[in-house]
């Protein structure tokens, strides 16, 4: 499967920003979607189901709730609609009865005993992608099972083994008015047509749906980001998983609100960090978040969006749309020219990409030129190059939660730094994306979402 054969033109904002559940887009949302896709493809009810997980999915699957995601997907649930508060009982019923139930219906379902039917192959990687899984179904009266492999390629996106070599399945029959596959092409299109990046992306989205529907989607994304921040600032206690990580967002929020009469410049960044912290604590708890462009980096863009909303005079909904559309354009380039999967790129492909996207989006919302926007995106990634993914215990908690606060603050810094110049700079966005890709290739698998190196092995779990 050549993932890079997919054109950036075939990716839409609906692919890049998806509303789902935590803690991981590639290890929770993607496998859940793949499991449902497999069940939908069968056309009849199976007698028994088996799922084999490989590579990074196997190594950190328990910490990333991949096992829960598989059970939910095989039962017909979708990440964007399942109620996080109902997940525990749903999974408990499957484990107690050894059967899958369609949307919780207590009718006879396919046999599924986790011990023998959900297998973690920690020493084996499928050659096509580090996040590989295979589903197999058996049927009454038929000795030949159906088996299909799927790959969770980052940001919740999933490809089957058939789609990996089928360009038509990736939407190549749709041609947008402003196609681009590089930062250079994006700048040239803007110069040629006298359009900002956000406008070109919006018009490209018109290939798939009317503008008002894209705007309604962006509104839902903004609202979901807001909801994840607000819920995160109200919760307290310890995050699940055994590390005994205490939620901090509520206490920080209370303290910052008490200091409103003595507000100083430093508190701006304390608020930004709080926004990111709240989202990623929600993500770590399996709550509802927006994949932007991944769950592990879900706090960066919401934090920057709320910085714009709260601290920029004249901020409005149009500016928020501009921020998200511009960020999406940058995200398209990373998906096309490299990857947003930590299992391939390390955390530079998650928090680094989110930082780059957020920096570009904020620069655009603040009135920056296309050249300044491209510069902001480049700065945002340049100073995240080499960032590893080494979660302790395979959980999206340490260092992931705090890392989002760093990414958000860095994105704001990158945007304002770019706006101080005229857009001319030595290192192009294309060059930094290629550097990220090469760095990801050279990076040991120990540092790519396997929990086999770095903090994951040098910090004793409590």
């Amino acid at each position: 499967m050549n993932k890079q054969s997919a054109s950036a033109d075939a990716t839409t904002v609906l692919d890049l920003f998806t509303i789902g559940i935590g803690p991981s887009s590639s290890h929770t949302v993607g496998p859940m979607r793949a499991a449902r896709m497999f069940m939908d493809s069968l056309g009849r009810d199976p007698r028994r189901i088996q799922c084999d997980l490989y590579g990074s999915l196997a190594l950190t699957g328990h910490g990333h709730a991949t096992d829960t995601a598989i059970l939910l997907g095989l039962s017909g649930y979708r990440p964007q609609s399942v109620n996080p508060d109902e997940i525990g009982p749903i999974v408990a019923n499957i484990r107690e009865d050894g059967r899958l139930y369609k949307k919780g219906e207590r009718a006879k379902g396919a046999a599924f005993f986790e011990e023998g039917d959900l297998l973690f192959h920690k020493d084996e990687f499928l050659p096509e992608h580090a996040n590989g899984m295979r589903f197999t179904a058996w049927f009454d009266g038929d000795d030949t099972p159906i088996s299909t492999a799927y790959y969770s390629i980052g940001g919740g996106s999933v490809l089957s083994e058939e789609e990996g070599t089928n360009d038509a399945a990736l939407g190549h029959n749709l041609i947008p008015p402003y196609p681009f596959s590089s930062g250079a092409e994006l700048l040239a299109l803007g110069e040629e047509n006298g359009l900002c990046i956000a406008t070109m992306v919006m018009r490209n989205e018109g290939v798939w749906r009317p503008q008002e529907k894209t705007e309604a989607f962006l509104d839902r994304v903004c609202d979901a980001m807001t909801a994840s921040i607000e819920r995160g600032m109200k919760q307290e206690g310890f995050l699940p998983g055994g590390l005994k990580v205490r939620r901090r967002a509520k206490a920080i929020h209370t303290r910052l609100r008490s200091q409103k009469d003595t507000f100083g410049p430093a508190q701006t960044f304390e608020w930004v960090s709080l926004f990111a912290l709240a989202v990623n604590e929600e993500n770590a708890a399996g709550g509802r978040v927006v994949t932007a462009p991944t769950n592990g980096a879900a706090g960066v863009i919401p934090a920057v969006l709320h910085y714009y909303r709260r601290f920029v005079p004249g901020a409005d909904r149009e500016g928020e749309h501009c921020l998200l559309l511009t960020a999406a354009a940058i995200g398209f380039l990373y998906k096309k020219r490299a990857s947003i999967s930590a299992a391939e790129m390390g955390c530079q492909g998650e928090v680094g990409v989110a930082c780059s996207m957020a920096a570009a989006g904020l620069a655009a919302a603040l009135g920056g030129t296309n050249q300044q926007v491209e510069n902001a995106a480049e700065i945002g990634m340049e100073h995240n190059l080499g960032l590893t993914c080494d979660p302790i215990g395979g959980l999206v908690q340490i260092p992931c939660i705090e890392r989002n606060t760093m990414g958000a603050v860095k994105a704001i810094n990158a945007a304002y730094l770019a706006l101080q110049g005229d857009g001319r700079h030595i290192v192009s966005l294309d060059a930094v994306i290629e550097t990220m890709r090469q760095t990801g290739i050279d990076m040991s698998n120990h540092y790519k979402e396997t929990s086999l190196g770095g903090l994951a092995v040098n910090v004793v779990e409590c």
Side-chain angles (χ1 to χ4, degrees):
M1 178 183 66
N2 180 11
K3 179 179 64 59
Q4 291 194 56
S5 68
S7 168
D9 311 328
T11 305
T12 83
V13 293
L14 274 67
D15 299 316
L16 212 58
F17 300 122
T18 59
I19 301 171
I21 58 171
S24 172
S25 49
S26 58
H27 287 58
T28 313
V29 176
M32 187 172 170
R33 287 176 173 160
R36 167 145 184 161
M37 288 166 61
F38 177 69
M39 295 298 283
D40 289 346
S41 73
L42 296 178
R44 49 182 170 148
D45 293 332
R47 168 173 50 86
R48 177 192 162 207
I49 297 288
Q50 179 176 304
C51 175
D52 295 83
L53 301 174
Y54 300 90
S56 180
L57 290 181
L59 287 162
T60 63
H62 284 111
H64 286 63
T66 306
D67 48 351
T68 296
I70 294 295
L71 297 183
L72 291 171
L74 291 176
S75 301
Y77 292 93
R78 300 178 187 274
Q80 65 268 32
S81 58
V82 65
N83 185 340
D85 295 331
E86 296 178 357
I87 290 175
I90 293 169
V91 172
N93 286 336
I94 296 171
R95 288 170 171 164
E96 179 182 350
D97 297 346
R99 288 197 175 278
L100 300 167
Y101 297 101
K102 292 182 179 179
K103 293 289 186 71
E105 294 178 3
R106 305 291 287 184
K108 182 180 179 181
F112 191 90
F113 295 92
E114 269 191 89
E115 185 175 348
D117 291 329
L118 183 57
L119 306 177
F120 291 73
H121 302 278
K122 296 184 178 182
D123 297 325
E124 187 175 353
F125 285 72
L126 295 184
E128 291 84 357
H129 196 278
N131 289 333
M133 68 202 99
R134 179 172 291 279
F135 296 93
T136 306
W138 289 265
F139 303 87
D140 288 331
D142 190 344
D143 294 331
T144 304
I146 292 177
S147 182
T148 307
Y150 294 85
Y151 310 98
S152 181
I153 63 173
S157 297
V158 174
L159 292 177
S160 69
E161 54 191 339
E162 293 85 3
E163 289 175 316
T165 56
N166 183 358
D167 282 349
L170 299 175
H172 280 220
N173 57 321
L174 299 175
I175 302 175
Y178 303 102
F180 61 91
S181 295
S182 69
E185 290 178 1
L186 186 59
L187 290 177
L189 281 170
E191 182 72 21
E192 178 183 346
N193 296 281
L195 299 173
C196 70
I197 292 171
T199 297
M200 289 188 288
V201 173
M202 179 63 84
R203 293 183 183 179
N204 284 349
E205 293 296 311
V207 171
W208 285 274
R209 74 200 72 84
Q211 179 172 327
E212 59 268 23
K213 289 193 174 182
T214 297
E215 291 174 342
F217 169 77
L218 295 174
D219 287 339
R220 290 196 299 274
V221 168
C222 289
D223 292 344
M225 288 180 172
T226 298
S228 64
I229 291 174
E230 291 179 348
R231 179 171 171 80
M233 293 192 299
K234 294 176 182 176
Q235 307 303 311
E236 54 189 346
F238 294 96
L239 293 170
L243 288 182
K244 298 181 180 179
V245 175
R246 186 181 295 275
R247 297 181 75 140
R248 292 175 284 172
K250 182 177 180 179
I252 295 173
H253 184 222
T254 300
R255 179 179 62 80
L256 288 176
R257 289 184 65 189
S258 70
Q259 298 173 348
K260 62 182 179 180
D261 294 332
T262 57
F263 186 85
Q267 286 183 319
T268 300
F269 292 101
E270 289 191 81
W271 277 102
V272 171
S273 294
L274 167 63
F275 298 149
L277 195 77
V279 173
N280 283 86
E281 287 181 350
E282 272 298 285
N283 180 64
R288 178 83 64 211
V289 297
V290 178
T291 301
T294 67
N295 279 31
V300 176
I301 292 177
V304 174
L305 180 73
H306 276 67
Y307 163 81
Y308 168 77
R309 177 183 292 177
R310 185 182 183 109
F311 296 106
V312 174
D316 56 18
R317 205 63 152 176
E318 183 179 351
E320 293 175 0
H321 288 179
C322 174
L323 191 156
L324 291 176
L325 289 167
T326 305
I330 304 305
F332 297 160
L333 294 177
Y334 282 100
K335 289 195 72 171
K336 161 65 180 177
R337 304 182 71 83
S339 172
I340 60 171
S341 168
E344 290 186 295
M345 295 287 115
C347 198
Q348 61 174 358
E350 293 206 23
V351 168
V353 171
C355 178
S356 182
M357 292 170 61
L362 180 59
L366 293 173
T369 66
N370 288 349
Q371 289 73 23
Q372 289 171 321
V373 167
E374 186 259 2
N375 189 14
E378 183 277 323
I379 294 171
M381 173 53 74
E382 183 176 334
H383 305 289
N384 279 292
L385 289 173
L387 192 61
T388 62
C389 181
D390 50 353
I392 297 174
L395 298 166
V396 191
Q397 298 179 16
I398 304 174
C400 319
I401 296 173
E402 288 183 356
R403 189 167 283 173
N404 275 257
T405 72
M406 301 296 107
V409 171
K410 192 177 292 185
I412 296 170
N413 190 19
Y416 281 105
L417 186 59
L419 291 174
Q420 294 301 314
D422 60 5
R424 290 179 293 183
H425 54 110
I426 294 174
V427 180
S428 69
L429 176 58
D430 291 334
V432 84
I433 293 176
E434 175 59 18
T435 302
M436 186 200 82
R437 188 189 70 83
Q438 293 174 0
T439 302
I441 292 173
D442 292 340
M443 190 182 293
S444 167
N445 282 335
H446 283 55
Y447 303 106
K448 293 193 285 190
E449 210 168 5
T450 59
S451 290
L452 296 175
L455 288 176
V457 298
N458 288 309
V459 176
V460 177
E461 294 181 31
C462 300

